[in-house]
Amino acid sequence: MDKVVASAEEAVADVRDGASLAVGGFGLCGVPNTLIQAVYDSGVTDLSVVSNNCGAMESGLAILLAAHRIRRVTGSYIGANKEFARQYLAGEIEVEMIPQGTLAERLRAGGAGIPAFYTPAGVGTQVAAGGLPWRYDGAGGVAVASPPKEVREFDGVEYVLERGITTDFALVRAAKGDRHGNLVFAKSARNFNPLAAMAGRITVAEVEELVEPGELDPDGVHLPGVFVRRVVALTPEQAGDKKIEKRTVRA
């Protein structure tokens, strides 16, 4: 099945207000900027986003965030995104912060059809006990706090129950992909992109290099095409537009 669509705009045309999106990327690596821009251009709002972070340097998800199109973020890292921090502390957005490894496993579990799992990460903290601020009231108080989670003992060790994550859509970026949706990711871009892709009911992949079926080494495929519904081939300019968060040089 040829899953290539003509444009990013066509690929995300059925994303509606209130949709949930799993978005790949790790910092500025492997962020599906072209698809995110197409979502922004479509005008949809009230989005619920699951991603490691919410964009940086006014790129990626940061453009949706700045336009107040995102209602809720499930992620691990606010980092140097000052607007993300401002909206969170001002009570303008709901944020569920999750240990990074737990977030990765929740996405993978959701994509694998596993409803929940136990992990030691977070035991003895507010991750398990509840009370983490999901939304502030804008005056320094907590309007919505995280609920307590089930804690169970196995072989004398306590574990907390975490739910798998599934979303309406997933937006990911791959270094290579074929027309059947088989994808290969480069280095740090592999941290969250395959997991986000698994979690989406409709997964859209932008690929830097589109190849024909059979050209990818089957042993080198990081995500099989069964998880991918649509593929968008990037132009050389789009593929080469890769930002550097902190540029350093040697003395």
Side-chain angles (χ1 to χ4, degrees):
M1 181 184 296
D2 190 343
K3 300 178 181 180
V4 176
V5 296
S7 67
E9 291 73 22
E10 179 183 341
V12 300
D14 52 351
V15 177
R16 297 289 183 257
D17 290 351
S20 58
L21 309 175
V23 181
F26 190 78
L28 298 182
C29 299
V31 179
N33 289 313
T34 301
L35 292 172
I36 293 171
Q37 183 66 48
V39 171
Y40 174 85
D41 292 341
S42 74
V44 296
T45 189
D46 198 33
L47 298 170
S48 178
V49 171
V50 183
S51 186
N52 178 60
N53 53 292
C54 201
M57 296 175 59
E58 301 178 349
S59 68
L61 287 170
I63 65 170
L64 290 169
L65 184 75
H68 296 273
R69 306 275 191 83
I70 299 177
R71 174 186 61 83
R72 190 178 197 275
V73 175
T74 301
S76 290
Y77 186 65
I78 292 179
N81 191 328
K82 294 181 179 179
E83 177 60 15
F84 188 12
R86 188 201 65 76
Q87 288 190 26
Y88 176 43
L89 295 174
E92 298 174 9
I93 192 171
E94 187 171 297
V95 179
E96 180 182 1
M97 298 298 290
I98 302 173
Q100 197 167 73
T102 300
L103 175 61
E105 182 62 10
R106 285 182 67 181
L107 288 164
R108 190 203 69 82
I114 298 170
F117 59 92
Y118 287 97
T119 174
V123 171
T125 73
Q126 285 182 300
V127 171
L132 287 171
W134 279 2
R135 181 185 288 275
Y136 285 101
D137 61 8
V142 177
V144 180
S146 65
K149 298 175 181 177
E150 178 187 336
V151 176
R152 184 173 174 182
E153 185 177 302
F154 294 90
D155 300 322
V157 179
E158 289 188 330
Y159 297 82
V160 60
L161 183 69
E162 295 282 2
R163 299 289 301 271
I165 293 175
T166 57
T167 58
D168 300 322
F169 294 86
L171 309 179
V172 300
R173 178 170 178 144
K176 288 185 179 181
D178 66 18
R179 293 181 177 274
H180 292 172
N182 299 301
L183 303 179
V184 176
F185 303 95
K187 301 178 175 66
S188 296
R190 192 177 173 186
N191 286 358
F192 274 96
N193 271 301
L195 308 171
M198 292 175 67
R201 296 182 183 92
I202 296 176
T203 293
V204 187
E206 60 180 61
V207 300
E208 297 173 13
E209 181 183 352
L210 178 66
V211 301
E212 296 302 318
E215 291 187 34
L216 294 177
D217 179 357
D219 287 334
V221 171
H222 298 145
L223 185 82
V226 67
F227 289 106
V228 179
R229 183 76 63 88
R230 300 164 193 158
V231 175
V232 177
L234 298 178
T235 66
E237 293 75 17
Q238 290 169 333
D241 184 18
K242 299 181 180 181
K243 296 177 174 58
I244 298 174
E245 189 166 359
K246 294 184 179 180
R247 186 181 297 274
T248 60
V249 295
R250 294 180 180 175

